[in-house]
């Protein structure tokens, strides 16, 4: 499978589209600019941290909430997987932004496949949606965003918390009993899931960014060594059990999947994470293929958006915005994990 897919929408066209709209006057704060004195990338915390809960300010209701995502973003991808797995497609609507992110940040663009105009405010930039909640907001504009159409408020823009809300808070509204009963954060495994998340996030999920956005050799070396040490740890775990926390799929697998599926197409080259590829791991690669072939995983993965976003939106790393053609990956190859365990 060629992950580049179609070459519709060249860099020049994207730049022209982005520069032609001047509604947003606040320059977007590029995530790659969050650098410490020693040249290390430091990801800021999310700004909106409200929760969906019965008898709260944001109760679970069908059709009340809208999810803003980018198909390119691994954090937003988590929420799309949970929305699909829990059968919430008719409960929570969503809109995807343009894969190209320029000086004004995430933009709505119905000329890009899979994207549409903002259905609530007819906004051009995602910043305008944030400003509906906080008119003088000048923080980072990130996806995913869970937005309350009734109160015109941002509920939450922290992917891990949105995913957990989708896992349980809307159970009464899930499409089927099977989806309602699916629990990716079961009480008996919460300690183990939290422990896995505690090292997967800083060293792998964020580790690829710390490697790619590093601005000193020391910062890069520290990040990339930790990244591959922890991928080796994942490989060891998956040599002994089917999933990260045992015999059942959990939140931990969802959170790792969105990084692994982007690794060979983008992170290996674009972020200089090139010690090994995922296809070189005898257990991680079949595990990734198994997840990809499950409902909710592969169907929410858009490799065209992924490749074009990273390689066209990071001029500090790829100043000419040239999108490379490979690699060819077969995510549909038999994985054999069920027979092994």
């Amino acid at each position: 499978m060629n992950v580049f897919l179609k070459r519709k929408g060249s860099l020049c066209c994207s730049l022209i589209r982005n520069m032609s709209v001047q509604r947003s006057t606040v320059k977007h704060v590029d995530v790659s600019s969050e650098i410490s004195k020693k040249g290390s990338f430091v990801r800021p915390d999310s700004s909106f941290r409200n929760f969906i809960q019965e008898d709260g300010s944001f109760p679970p209701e069908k059709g009340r909430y809208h999810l803003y995502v980018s198909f390119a973003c691994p954090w937003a991808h988590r929420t799309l997987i949970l929305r699909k797995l829990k059968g919430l497609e008719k409960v929570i609507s969503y809109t995807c932004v343009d894969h190209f992110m320029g000086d004004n940040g995430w933009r709505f663009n119905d000329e890009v496949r899979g994207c549409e105009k903002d259905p609530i405010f007819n906004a051009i930039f995602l910043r305008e949606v944030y400003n509906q909640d906080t008119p003088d907001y000048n923080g980072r504009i990130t996806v995913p965003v869970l937005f309350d159409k009734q109160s015109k408020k941002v509920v939450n823009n922290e992917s891990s918390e949105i995913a957990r809300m989708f896992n349980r808070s809307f159970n009464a509204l899930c499409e089927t009993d099977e989806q309602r009963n699916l629990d990716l954060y079961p009480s008996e495994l919460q300690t183990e899931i939290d422990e896995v998340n505690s090292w997967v996030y800083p060293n792998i999920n964020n580790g690829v960014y710390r490697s790619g956005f590093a601005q000193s050799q020391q910062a890069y070396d520290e990040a990339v060594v930790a990244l591959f040490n922890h991928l080796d740890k994942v490989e060891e775990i998956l040599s002994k059990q089917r999933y990260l926390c045992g015999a059942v799929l959990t939140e931990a697998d969802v959170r790792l999947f969105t990084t692994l599926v982007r690794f060979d197409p983008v992170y290996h080259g674009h972020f200089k994470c090139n010690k090994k590829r995922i296809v070189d791991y005898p257990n991680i690669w079949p595990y990734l293929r198994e997840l990809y072939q499950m409902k909710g995983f592969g169907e929410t993965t858009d490799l065209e958006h992924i490749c074009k976003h990273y390689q066209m939106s990071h001029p500090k790393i790829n100043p000419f915005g040239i999108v490379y053609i490979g690699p060819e990956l077969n995510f549909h190859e038999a994985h054999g994990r069920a027979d092994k365990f």
Side-chain angles (χ1 to χ4, degrees):
M1 177 179 178
N2 190 319
V3 301
F4 177 60
L5 302 177
K6 303 174 184 177
R7 285 186 175 268
K8 293 182 179 179
S10 66
L11 173 63
C12 291
C13 291
S14 295
L15 285 170
I16 291 170
R17 290 197 308 267
N18 187 67
M19 293 170 66
S20 67
V21 180
Q22 300 298 327
R23 187 186 296 188
S24 177
T25 58
V26 180
K27 185 175 174 62
H28 176 68
V29 179
D30 182 8
V31 65
S32 67
S33 65
E34 305 289 347
I35 302 296
S36 72
K37 291 182 178 179
K38 72 172 187 176
S40 299
F41 168 65
V42 181
R43 184 176 297 277
D45 291 334
S46 300
S47 304
F48 297 87
R49 311 295 284 272
N50 301 300
F51 290 87
I52 306 292
Q53 53 189 5
E54 295 285 356
D55 302 320
S57 299
F58 302 102
E61 295 178 8
K62 182 177 182 179
R64 177 169 174 170
Y65 302 99
H66 191 76
L67 183 67
Y68 290 100
V69 301
S70 162
F71 292 150
C73 173
W75 319 107
H77 194 177
R78 298 173 173 181
T79 65
L80 287 173
I81 293 172
L82 264 294
R83 176 179 174 273
K84 180 71 72 172
L85 292 178
K86 293 293 292 185
L88 299 175
E89 295 101 315
K90 297 178 181 178
V91 177
I92 301 164
S93 53
Y94 84 91
T95 298
C96 178
V97 296
D98 192 339
H99 51 68
F100 177 74
M101 183 171 62
D103 287 344
N104 290 318
W106 295 114
R107 183 193 171 198
F108 299 100
N109 186 356
D110 61 346
E111 295 181 4
V112 174
R113 181 192 54 77
C115 302
E116 62 179 356
K117 295 180 179 179
D118 174 34
I120 305 176
F121 305 107
N122 198 31
I124 293 179
F125 296 100
L126 187 59
R127 174 174 294 280
E128 297 169 51
V129 176
Y130 274 75
N131 290 151
Q132 290 290 331
D133 180 296
T134 310
D136 59 350
Y137 180 76
N138 59 4
R140 291 183 59 246
I141 307 300
T142 62
V143 288
V145 178
L146 186 62
F147 191 83
D148 179 13
K149 293 183 283 187
Q150 180 173 304
S151 67
K152 304 294 189 293
K153 294 290 185 181
V154 173
V155 179
N156 199 295
N157 68 341
E158 167 50 52
S159 64
S160 62
E161 294 172 356
I162 296 174
R164 286 194 179 172
M165 284 186 266
F166 286 4
N167 182 55
R168 285 190 181 163
S169 299
F170 293 91
N171 272 352
L173 301 172
C174 293
E175 190 168 352
T176 68
D177 288 339
E178 180 181 5
Q179 290 167 321
R180 184 175 300 109
N181 294 328
L182 174 66
D183 187 0
L184 295 173
Y185 190 60
S187 57
E188 67 273 16
L189 289 176
Q190 286 179 6
T191 299
E192 188 172 354
I193 293 170
D194 290 343
E195 194 276 328
V196 170
N197 289 343
S198 72
W199 54 264
V200 166
Y201 168 73
N203 297 293
I204 300 178
N205 297 145
N206 201 41
V208 292
Y209 286 90
R210 292 172 53 231
S211 300
F213 290 153
Q215 294 186 10
S216 73
Q217 189 67 50
Q218 178 186 355
Y220 168 75
D221 289 345
E222 290 176 358
V224 80
V225 168
L227 167 64
F228 282 99
N229 284 345
H230 286 85
L231 282 175
D232 288 344
K233 184 174 181 177
V234 170
E235 174 69 13
E236 175 67 17
I237 291 172
L238 294 178
S239 71
K240 300 175 181 177
Q241 58 194 41
R242 189 166 180 179
Y243 304 111
L244 286 177
C245 295
V248 297
L249 182 77
T250 69
E251 168 196 286
D253 300 294
V254 174
R255 289 169 59 131
L256 180 60
F257 170 82
T258 61
T259 297
L260 295 183
V261 79
R262 288 163 173 76
F263 198 96
D264 288 4
V266 174
Y267 303 146
H268 178 269
H270 185 65
F271 279 172
K272 300 182 286 293
C273 301
N274 60 352
K275 180 181 178 182
K276 293 175 73 173
R277 303 166 301 167
I278 295 303
V279 297
D280 297 325
Y281 290 93
N283 290 288
I284 298 179
W285 175 224
Y287 162 82
L288 174 57
R289 298 200 308 273
E290 179 184 8
L291 295 185
Y292 188 93
Q293 293 167 30
M294 288 182 176
K295 177 180 174 61
F297 287 81
E299 61 193 300
T300 58
T301 302
D302 193 312
L303 290 168
E304 180 185 8
H305 274 248
I306 290 168
C307 290
K308 286 184 175 180
H309 164 69
Y310 284 95
Q311 295 172 58
M312 293 168 65
S313 303
H314 297 152
K316 293 179 182 178
I317 297 175
N318 189 22
F320 294 105
I322 296 171
V323 182
Y324 44 70
I325 194 170
E328 292 186 348
L329 301 169
N330 183 6
F331 290 106
H332 298 285
E333 179 186 349
H335 54 77
R337 297 286 292 174
D339 296 332
K340 185 172 182 177
F341 299 102

